[in-house]
């Protein structure tokens, strides 16, 4: 198309100047890039008079997208929002667009393409505008025909980084004009479109600068808000700062974990670790902690898809139930010290891409695209991208959070030091005042002791002054010789204990020896300290909740005890109070010694008799101590004696057992010979006939094999018992070694076989074994057998507490529980008895012990469950069953040490778990869990 008319040419020039003016004005007036691009395509299409003008932008992945479009009367279909594959524009063409600024004009009808570079490819110098036509690729012609285009114009749009003058331009996109008819593009039109493209490039650079400035301003505003919240000491707002940080990153949730205080602040969607993991907080998981230990100060770690991270393969399980996919972890440090971690979560999202025709790789090499029908591509669970500005913001927040947390910790430490200092000063002042008061009272008591030789008066003065000074409910002096209270002072309506004698078994001689060595016993809470049942009952009868005891030592013996009682509530005895009571105990000893010397001068004969009585009592105590020591020594040697006897019996039993089979064979042979003699010599000598009649030969022949058989059975029984005793004692296996626990349980059951049998008053106890396939366990076999013996024996005792009335009448025990007749009838046909696993609808409950074993899923631990269907236990009893010396059995039937020792063997010796599950009327079950192999060095003492 040519224009020769000068007027028309001038009009074209005016239009050109007007278009450039409008474009420049639009760029200066608006910073909205989309608005500028929309105006650009409209102005260029109007100027060129073509059917469609578009702005085609290149994406990061190389594909392209139409982001602005102007169409004349819908002569061509809209391409706005559609994407085009990477191979639609070859790489060579892209390089020419970038290096030479090349423009292309395609004439579809003539099959020609006009190329017009701005710069020389070799020298990069700007060339005079010129258009060189050549034949176009037929594939390109077919491509344009499929779009309904007969002529096209393509001008590159470059992007220049205004921050760096030396930076090379980048190919940002293309300005494209399509026409449905043949059209020749003039050089001045090409120059104008190029100038418009240059103006668009300027607008793109300005828009990017404006966007970066806005983003920088938002980041600074976020940092200012977070800083304000973090530095409001002493009311630092960590929760608010966390929420601001999450919002700044467009996150769906986040966490702030502080290492020193173990504090955790959360907001939004949170992960939940499965129950198999050891910790419920991911920051306390070993894998997370090891990861944090590797992070250097200032390092920011971010991932767009946490499920692809190897170091999070275990912790990622906690995110499965959430939409979280992106994770940024900001380890917080103060200098080199790790103080916490800030985590930001981003949610996954779904995308929908509209392609101009179905995308298939390398189709351009085979044939041109024949259809540009919209093809939707949906992608699920896309990972969000962390950009450079996100990392920059994280670096800024790292400094502020680290400094704020460190300042808060230092502030708390200073506050704690100040508080402790004030409290310490007050305590020191109170202690000094109390010490002065104690010194004054001590002087008064000392003066009174020296002024009189009356023992009763002196002792009464001591208890009166001590009770007033300590402000306690009762103060008394307990005389060891009489084992009774000889003087007391009471404040309030508490019962008098004057003259009350203590049970002898509650205070063994060992206590006296300890008090003679200077023992002072301060008990703040009677119910929380380990005492014998007798001692505890004695103190509870006296209404005592806390006591303080100091000895009164005279010469080489303990004369008595000076005791302070607190009856209304537990009490924390102070060191100054204990020291005062000790000094008054020493003064009491002096007073008693003086009174004794005075009484000796008055009545030497009475003193001699008293000494004789004391010597007799001492001798009696020594005899009792000697008897107890002998009994203890016998009990300690009982295990070795059992093993020794089993070993000694084993040899002759083996001899008898080994020869019985030969004796049986020889007997059968002799009897066979005798039968042969009878067969071949039916008429023996008269003397032989007489002997046969005398010994009842027929009966002997018939009974002798039975005798041999019974001897065989008896020897088998003896051998099994001896073997069980040896296996149970395990003296030859005192070291830690791998054993079969099933063998230990079976040996224990064999030893207890006589207790499992029934009688006329009690049915037989059924033993139900549910053994799993467990490996050999590395343990102390003898001690494990002791545990099995204690638990199974207790189960048998519990089943026997029903007095043999299983299913008949009433079964009751004062501490364990009560089963009435009506309750027992319910276990008949009406419903299943819950503690008997072998029968669905028994007529009455059968006493049973159920033993089951199994191994854990990871083959690292073995579980042993021993249960009975006895009366069960109350919660009060169950809480104390592992306490030493506690028992519910009658006096003389149990020591109360079995379960305490068993618990110590399982928990301390084998690093295992031992628990009891029981309810009244629902039986009792002991749950034992031990590792197959000990995790570390096992203590040598049980």
């Amino acid at each position: 198309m040519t224009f020769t008319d000068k007027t028309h040419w001038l009009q074209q020039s005016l239009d050109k100047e007007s278009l450039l003016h409008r474009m420049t004005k639009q760029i200066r007036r608006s910073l909205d890039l989309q608005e500028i691009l929309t105006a650009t395509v409209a102005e260029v299409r109007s100027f060129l008079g073509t059917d469609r003008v578009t702005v085609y932008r290149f994406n990061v992945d190389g594909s392209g997208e139409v982001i602005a479009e102007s169409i004349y009367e819908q002569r061509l279909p809209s391409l706005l929002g559609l994407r085009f594959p990477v191979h639609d524009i070859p790489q060579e063409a892209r390089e020419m667009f970038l290096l030479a600024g090349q423009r292309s004009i395609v004439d579809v009808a003539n099959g020609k393409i006009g190329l017009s570079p701005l710069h020389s490819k070799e020298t990069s110098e700007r060339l005079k505008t010129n258009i060189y036509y050549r034949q176009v690729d037929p594939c390109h012609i077919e491509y344009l025909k499929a779009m309904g285009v007969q002529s096209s114009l393509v001008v590159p749009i470059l992007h220049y980084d205004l921050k760096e003058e030396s930076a090379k331009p980048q190919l940002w996109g293309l300005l494209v004009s399509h026409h449905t008819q043949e059209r020749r593009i003039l050089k001045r039109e090409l120059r104008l479109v190029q100038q418009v493209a240059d103006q668009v490039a300027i607008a793109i650079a300005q828009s990017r600068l404006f966007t970066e400035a806005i983003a920088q301003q938002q980041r600074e505003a976020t940092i200012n808000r977070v800083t304000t919240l973090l530095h409001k000491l002493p009311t630092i707002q960590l929760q608010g700062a966390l929420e601001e940080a999450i919002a700044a990153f467009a996150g769906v949730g986040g966490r702030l974990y502080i290492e020193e205080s173990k504090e955790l602040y959360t907001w939004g969607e949170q992960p939940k670790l499965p129950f198999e993991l050891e910790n419920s907080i991911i920051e306390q998981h070993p894998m997370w902690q090891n990861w944090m230990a590797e992070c250097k100060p200032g390092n920011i770690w971010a991932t767009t898809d946490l499920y692809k991270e190897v170091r999070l393969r275990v912790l990622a399980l906690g995110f499965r139930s959430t939409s979280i996919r992106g994770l940024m972890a900001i380890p917080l440090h103060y200098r080199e010290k790790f103080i916490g971690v800030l985590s930001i979560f981003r949610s996954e999202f779904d995308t929908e891409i509209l392609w101009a025709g179905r995308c298939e790789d390398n189709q351009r090499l085979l044939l041109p695209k024949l259809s540009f029908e919209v093809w939707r591509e949906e992608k699920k669970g896309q990972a969000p991208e962390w950009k450079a500005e996100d990392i920059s913001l994280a670096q800024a927040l790292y400094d502020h959070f680290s400094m704020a947390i460190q300042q808060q910790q230092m502030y708390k430490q200073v506050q704690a030091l100040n508080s402790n200092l004030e409290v310490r000063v007050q305590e020191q002042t109170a202690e000094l005042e109390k010490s002065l008061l104690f010194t004054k009272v001590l002087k008064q008591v000392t003066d009174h002791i020296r002024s009189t030789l009356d023992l009763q008066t002196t002792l009464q003065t001591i208890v009166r002054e001590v009770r007033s000074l300590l402000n306690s409910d009762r103060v008394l002096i307990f005389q060891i010789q009489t084992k009774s209270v000889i003087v007391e002072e009471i404040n309030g309506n508490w019962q008098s204990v004057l003259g009350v004698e203590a049970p002898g078994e509650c205070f063994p001689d060992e206590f006296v020896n300890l008090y003679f060595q200077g023992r002072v016993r301060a008990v703040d809470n009677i119910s929380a300290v380990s005492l014998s049942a007798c001692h505890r009952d004695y103190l509870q009868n006296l209404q005592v909740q806390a006591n303080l005891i100091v000895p009164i030592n005279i010469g080489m013996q303990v004369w008595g005890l000076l005791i302070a009682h607190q009856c209304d509530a537990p009490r924390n005895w102070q060191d100054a109070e204990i020291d005062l009571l000790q000094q008054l105990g020493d003064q009491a000893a002096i007073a008693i010694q003086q009174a004794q010397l005075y009484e000796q001068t008055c009545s030497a004969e009475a003193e001699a008799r008293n000494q004789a009585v004391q010597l007799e009592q001492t001798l009696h105590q020594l005899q009792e101590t000697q008897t107890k020591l002998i009994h203890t020594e016998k009990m300690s040697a009982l295990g070795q004696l059992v093993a020794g006897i089993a070993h000694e019996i084993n040899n002759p039993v083996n001899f008898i057992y080994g020869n019985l089979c030969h004796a049986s064979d020889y007997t059968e042979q002799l009897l066979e010979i005798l039968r042969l003699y009878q067969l071949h010599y039916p008429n023996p000598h008269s003397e032989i006939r007489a002997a046969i009649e005398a010994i009842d030969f027929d009966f002997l022949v018939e009974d002798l094999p039975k005798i041999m058989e019974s001897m065989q059975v008896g020897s088998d029984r003896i051998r099994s018992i001896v073997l069980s005793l040896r296996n149970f004692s395990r003296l030859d296996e005192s070291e830690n070694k791998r054993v079969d626990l099933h063998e230990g349980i079976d040996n224990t059951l064999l030893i207890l076989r006589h207790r499992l049998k029934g009688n006329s008053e009690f049915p037989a106890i059924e033993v139900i074994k549910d053994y799993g396939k467990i490996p050999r366990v590395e343990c102390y076999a003898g001690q494990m057998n002791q545990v099995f013996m204690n638990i199974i024996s207790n189960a048998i005792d519990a089943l026997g507490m029903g007095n043999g009335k299983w299913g008949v009448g009433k079964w009751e025990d004062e501490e364990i529980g009560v089963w009435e007749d009506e309750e027992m009838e319910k276990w008949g046909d009406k419903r299943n008895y819950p503690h008997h696993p072998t029968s669905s609808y028994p007529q009455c409950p059968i006493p049973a012990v159920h033993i089951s074993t199994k191994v854990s899923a990871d083959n690292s631990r073995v579980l042993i469950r021993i249960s009975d269907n006895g009366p069960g236990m109350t919660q009060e009893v169950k809480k104390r069953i592992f306490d030493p010396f506690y028992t519910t059995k009658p006096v003389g039937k149990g020591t109360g040490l079995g379960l305490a020792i068993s618990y110590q063997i399982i928990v301390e010796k084998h690093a295992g778990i031992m628990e009891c599950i029981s309810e009244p009327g629902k039986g009792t079950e002991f749950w034992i869990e031990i590792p197959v192999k000990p995790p570390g060095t096992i203590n040598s003492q049980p």
Side-chain angles (χ1 to χ4, degrees), residues 308-359:
K308 296 181 180 179
E309 293 296 328
V310 177
R311 69 183 67 197
L312 297 178
R313 60 184 181 276
V314 175
L315 299 178
L317 297 175
F319 294 85
R320 290 293 184 186
S321 60
T322 70
S323 62
I324 300 171
R325 185 170 291 268
L327 169 63
M328 174 185 286
I330 309 176
L332 305 176
H333 296 82
Y334 182 73
R335 295 179 179 174
E336 297 297 328
K337 178 184 176 184
F338 174 73
I339 60 176
V341 59
L342 173 64
S343 304
I344 306 295
F345 306 139
R346 278 186 176 176
S347 176
E348 63 183 11
F349 58 89
D350 300 334
T351 59
E352 181 183 73
I353 302 176
L354 302 179
W355 292 92
R358 185 175 183 86
C359 296

Side-chain angles (χ1 to χ4, degrees), residues 385-399:
E385 179 184 359
W386 298 100
K387 298 181 180 179
E389 50 266 28
D390 295 328
I391 304 300
S392 175
L393 177 59
Q395 290 285 357
L397 294 180
Y398 162 83
D399 295 330

Side-chain angles (χ1 to χ4, degrees), residues 255 269-273 280 282 315 318-319 321-322 324 345:
R255 302 159 69 91
E269 199 165 359
Q270 298 295 318
K272 295 181 181 179
L273 291 181
S280 58
I282 60 175
L315 299 178
F319 294 85
S321 60
T322 70
I324 300 171
F345 306 139

Side-chain angles (χ1 to χ4, degrees), residues 349-483:
F349 58 89
D350 300 334
T351 59
E352 181 183 73
I353 302 176
L354 302 179
W355 292 92
R358 185 175 183 86
C359 296
E360 296 181 5
D361 294 339
N362 300 324
Q363 284 298 310
R364 184 179 178 278
L365 302 178
L366 301 178
L367 70 163
K369 185 181 295 185
L370 300 179
S371 173
F372 289 87
E373 184 179 354
V374 176
W375 178 66
R376 298 178 183 271
E377 180 186 14
E378 295 182 353
K379 294 183 179 180
K380 301 292 185 179
Q382 295 298 295
E385 179 184 359
W386 298 100
K387 298 181 180 179
E389 50 266 28
D390 295 328
I391 304 300
S392 175
L393 177 59
Q395 290 285 357
L397 294 180
Y398 162 83
D399 295 330
H400 289 287
F401 272 94
S402 299
M403 186 179 299
I405 293 174
Q406 180 64 23
Q407 290 177 351
Q408 183 192 40
Q409 292 177 353
M410 293 179 63
Y411 178 79
K412 289 182 178 179
Q413 292 175 0
V414 172
Q415 290 294 102
L417 289 174
N418 292 337
S419 300
N420 292 338
L421 182 61
E422 294 177 0
V423 172
R424 187 59 182 167
V425 171
Q426 295 176 357
E427 291 178 351
Q428 291 285 352
T429 303
E431 289 178 0
L432 288 174
E433 293 176 352
K434 186 178 291 186
S435 178
L436 292 174
L437 180 60
F438 286 173
T439 303
K440 180 178 179 182
V441 172
L442 183 62
K443 184 178 183 303
Q444 293 176 354
V445 174
T446 302
D447 294 341
H448 185 81
I449 289 174
R450 294 176 179 176
S451 64
T452 181
L453 292 175
D454 182 61
L455 179 61
Q456 188 66 26
T457 303
T458 301
L459 298 181
Q460 190 64 49
T461 301
I462 292 174
V463 296
R464 182 177 63 252
E465 295 294 338
V466 170
R467 196 223 60 75
S468 176
L469 190 61
L470 298 182
N471 193 24
S472 59
D473 296 326
R474 184 193 297 123
V475 175
L476 55 90
I477 294 178
F478 178 84
Q479 188 176 17
I480 297 295
Q481 183 178 1
T482 60
K483 294 187 177 181

Side-chain angles (χ1 to χ4, degrees), residues 546-572:
N547 63 356
L548 176 61
I549 306 173
V550 299
I552 301 175
N553 294 325
I554 298 178
M556 301 300 294
Q557 65 178 351
V558 180
W559 183 87
L561 303 174
L562 178 59
I563 306 173
H565 285 167
Q566 194 69 27
C567 301
D568 59 346
R571 175 172 177 172
N572 184 20

Side-chain angles (χ1 to χ4, degrees), residues 510-522:
E510 289 81 359
F511 283 14
V512 178
N513 295 331
L514 292 175
Y515 283 122
F516 177 72
Q517 296 173 8
R519 174 187 183 183
V520 175
R521 183 156 193 174

